[in-house]
Amino acid sequence: MIVDAHHHFWNLEREALPWMTAGHDLIRRTFEPDDLEPLLRRAGVSRTVLVQAACSDSDTDSMFEHAGARAWIGGVVAWIDLRSPTRALERLGELSQQPKLRGIRHLIHDEPDPHWVLQDEVLESLALLEQRRLILELPCVYPRHLGDVPVLAAGFPQLKIVIDHLAKPPLGSDEMGRWAGELRAAASHGNVAAKISGLNTALAAGDWDADDLAEAVAVALDAFGPDRLVCGSDWPVALLNGDYERVWRETVRVIEHLAPLHAEQLLSGNALRLYDLDATVAPASGMPS
């Protein structure tokens, strides 16, 4: 079984996505569950984690609509306004009624302040997440954000922090050594985990395969061990340099090559545990079990 621990949906008729630029023309359309479900079946994915695509309450509301209608969506990483502790508290009260709420994320990589997450108001809101045992997901982009993770991890030792996309390692560049050092510094805190996801869109070449992912994945395995890593597709963003089937084929290949004894754990077990996805829930009709 594979758990896709990172994918998105969006409907451009309902929700504006300010982060979309001319470079995103391939994904400038609506993507919803009916688009993904046949891809899950072909790739052998039977549970997913749906992650916010916009910093808005309406995007969060639409995610829970989808999650309520699809059993294979096991968890949702939503958005709340972390800049306003008062509104964050109110919104968390509303979202507490959603059984698939697992975490909160803000698009920090779109903020002009690289240390946006360390603002006093944001830190006050993060304390609310820690109290409620919710995950904080960080779409870190190296080198702007990774250095803040140890600060957060030390300041909130009971807060589970997940680094998306291994912080977008500078694959193929001479910056890989510095990235590896910062990733290890983050991983030295036991409350930090990371996602092997989104690596294909960090590559310039279109003919990428598992070998191109291996350096970053090897560093992550050494830093976090096999217990604190999960895998995700980053679909539909992944379509900018590949397709869903290819992402999973090459991800499985690199995991089975570098960590054959821990492949099941990395591809499903860790995500089931970290996001408490309840593996006993029956997948949607026709989905792999």
Side-chain angles (χ1 to χ4, degrees):
M1 183 174 71
I2 293 173
V3 173
D4 184 345
H6 196 104
H7 73 90
H8 311 282
F9 295 131
W10 56 73
N11 184 327
L12 296 185
E13 294 181 4
R14 293 178 54 178
E15 189 73 44
L17 297 178
W19 54 265
M20 276 197 176
T21 67
H24 297 106
D25 286 346
L26 282 172
I27 57 174
R28 193 184 300 277
R29 66 175 181 85
T30 292
F31 292 91
E32 294 190 320
D34 286 345
D35 300 299
L36 181 57
E37 189 161 316
L39 306 180
L40 301 178
R41 188 178 299 113
R42 289 198 292 270
V45 175
S46 56
R47 196 80 73 248
T48 76
V49 176
L50 176 57
V51 179
Q52 60 101 211
C55 295
S56 70
D57 289 335
S58 58
D59 179 62
T60 289
D61 292 340
S62 69
M63 286 194 294
F64 285 114
E65 289 175 17
H66 293 315
R70 295 300 201 282
W72 44 265
I73 301 174
V76 171
V77 177
W79 178 86
I80 61 172
D81 188 356
L82 295 173
R83 295 163 296 189
S84 171
T86 300
R87 175 55 183 155
L89 179 61
E90 178 184 347
R91 185 61 166 156
L92 285 171
E94 297 167 1
L95 295 180
S96 66
Q97 305 304 309
Q98 297 290 346
K100 292 186 178 181
L101 175 65
R102 295 295 182 270
I104 298 297
R105 188 177 90 139
H106 181 88
L107 301 182
I108 62 171
H109 57 313
D110 287 341
E111 296 289 347
D113 179 358
H115 307 295
W116 182 94
V117 76
L118 297 182
Q119 296 176 90
D120 289 343
E121 296 84 358
V122 174
L123 295 175
E124 189 175 340
S125 295
L126 296 187
L128 300 175
L129 305 189
E130 185 179 44
Q131 291 166 12
R132 287 157 178 76
R133 306 180 72 85
L134 290 170
I135 291 168
L136 171 67
E137 289 218 0
L138 294 174
C140 294
V141 175
Y142 172 84
R144 295 180 70 216
H145 308 107
L146 197 50
D148 290 342
V149 176
V151 177
L152 291 172
F156 299 96
Q158 302 306 313
L159 177 65
K160 293 180 181 178
I161 300 172
V162 176
I163 299 170
D164 290 342
H165 317 317
L166 297 184
K168 287 291 182 178
L171 293 163
S173 81
D174 57 8
E175 281 289 297
M176 283 294 287
R178 182 179 166 197
W179 163 82
E182 292 198 12
L183 191 75
R184 289 190 173 96
S188 69
H189 297 267
N191 56 327
V192 179
K195 289 182 179 180
I196 298 170
S197 59
L199 299 183
N200 61 309
T201 53
L203 293 163
D207 59 346
W208 62 275
D209 61 17
D211 290 342
D212 296 295
L213 312 179
E215 182 179 4
V217 175
V219 170
L221 282 165
D222 181 61
F224 289 95
D227 298 324
R228 289 186 286 142
L229 292 170
V230 299
C231 297
S233 67
D234 198 23
W235 181 93
V237 180
L239 301 178
L240 294 173
N241 192 17
D243 57 40
Y244 195 80
E245 182 178 1
R246 182 177 177 189
V247 165
W248 281 114
R249 182 181 68 244
E250 301 308 316
T251 299
V252 170
R253 282 186 61 207
V254 73
I255 292 296
E256 290 183 339
H257 174 67
L258 293 175
L261 299 180
H262 303 284
E264 182 177 356
Q265 183 179 353
L266 290 159
L267 292 167
S268 62
N270 288 343
L272 290 170
R273 172 179 47 80
L274 178 63
Y275 291 96
D276 191 19
L277 298 185
D278 188 4
T280 63
V281 174
S285 177
M287 293 295 293
S289 59

